[in-house]
Amino acid sequence: MFEDLSGKSALVTGASGGLGLHFARLLARHGVDVTLAARRQSALDQAGAEIAALGGTAEHLVLDVTDAASVAETLAGRHFDILINNAGISGAGPAAGLSEADWDAVLDTNLKGVFLVAQAVARGMRESGRGGAIVNIASILGHRVAGGVSAYAASKAGVIQLTKALALEWARDGIRVNALCPGYIETDINRDFFATEAGLNLIRRIPQRRLGQPDELDGALLLLASAAGSYITGATIEVDGGHLVSSL
Ligand code: NAD
């Protein structure tokens, strides 16, 4: 079903670990030439070696998505068929005490960064004449709220609305723009938290009563990135064990 992905090229941001590296591995397994982008060269080297071990090729780019000059310079003249706009930070903390710097860091990474990278990659998609598929990684916190995540929730709501706006403007260029909204997915950075009492309480509020695993995002990601989703643009897909429909 996803055979058309073979031979395509993809840029994955925030690809040195977590879900970004997972998505990069997934695409590489489907024959995609993956370019990994993240801030640290050492982490990229390790991630690239993992992709190579799968038999794939993975170029790496050191890229800070918050830095417009770095994004424009690094991505100029490059052509990708697929963009997985994944880089993001959480920046939790009660709104009353949230510093301007913390607010800016979250919004700059999660919202401005998604815009800057989408804009630069779309330019190449237009130049190639082939169009492409952009998948923005948002969150169910772009739809609903929780305590202590005001900046994050606002940034992800912005990503969802930005996704729709870009889909509208870029459809004529053959560029599809969609958002994937994961619920709570178990990764290295949150595993310890979800084993605590507070974490277990959160899990009890998910209708399926468990965390998601990274590979449970694969179907939605491949659908949005491939020709299987050729008539899908401006959409959001929630993969959350029913969390968004939990009882009020
Ligand atoms: P993570 O912290 O493991 O990965 C985030 C990646 O983004 C890291 O590789 C980090 O280095 C990179 N990054 C951060 N700032 C960057 C910058 N300025 N420039 C370039 N790269 C930068 O987190 P994750 O759980 O893998 O999250 C990946 C994405 O999925 C994020 O957008 C996150 O908001 C979203 N998400 C995750 C979950 C979850 O449960 N894990 C749920 C919903 C949404």
Side-chain angles (χ1 to χ4, degrees):
M1 179 155 212
F2 303 117
E3 279 163 15
D4 68 291
L5 286 173
S6 187
K8 290 268 164 70
S9 58
L11 175 69
V12 183
T13 66
S16 55
L19 297 180
L21 179 55
H22 174 80
F23 294 142
R25 282 197 211 105
L26 172 71
L27 292 171
R29 281 203 306 274
H30 283 78
V32 177
D33 292 327
V34 185
T35 296
L36 312 170
R39 287 165 302 176
R40 285 170 297 125
Q41 183 67 55
S42 54
L44 281 169
D45 289 341
Q46 204 178 332
E50 279 196 41
I51 306 274
L54 292 172
T57 53
E59 201 191 335
H60 349 139
L61 299 174
V62 174
L63 179 73
D64 180 348
V65 301
T66 66
D67 180 343
S70 153
V71 171
E73 214 170 281
T74 311
L75 299 181
R78 290 178 182 270
H79 293 169
F80 299 101
D81 301 300
I82 298 160
L83 164 63
I84 311 297
N85 232 333
N86 165 82
I89 58 174
S90 51
L98 196 66
S99 69
E100 182 183 356
D102 284 344
W103 170 270
D104 284 349
V106 174
L107 270 290
D108 281 359
T109 308
N110 296 5
L111 183 53
K112 187 175 89 171
V114 163
F115 171 69
L116 292 174
V117 176
Q119 190 186 44
V121 170
R123 201 169 289 134
M125 288 174 171
R126 234 171 264 123
E127 280 167 12
S128 74
R130 294 196 304 269
I134 296 176
V135 184
N136 295 325
I137 307 303
S139 165
I140 55 170
L141 282 165
H143 289 297
R144 284 183 58 181
V145 292
V149 290
S150 56
Y152 183 83
S155 73
K156 294 297 189 179
V159 169
I160 290 169
Q161 195 69 342
L162 175 67
T163 297
K164 297 176 189 179
L166 299 183
L168 170 65
E169 289 193 27
W170 297 348
R172 71 196 68 169
D173 303 313
I175 300 169
R176 295 185 299 105
V177 190
N178 293 291
L180 175 58
C181 296
Y184 293 158
I185 307 297
E186 186 173 359
T187 60
D188 290 343
I189 56 162
N190 61 25
R191 190 166 292 116
D192 289 347
F193 167 72
F194 280 115
T196 65
E197 197 46 42
L200 292 170
N201 280 336
L202 278 181
I203 294 171
R204 282 185 202 108
R205 297 213 291 272
I206 303 171
Q208 287 195 353
R209 299 285 188 274
R210 65 176 180 84
L211 296 173
Q213 295 301 313
D215 62 6
E216 293 183 288
L217 299 172
D218 295 0
L221 188 103
L222 292 171
L223 171 66
L224 296 178
S226 72
S230 55
Y231 201 50
I232 303 176
T233 195
T236 59
I237 298 186
E238 289 76 33
V239 182
D240 68 348
H243 209 157
L244 281 178
V245 292
S246 59
S247 181
L248 292 177

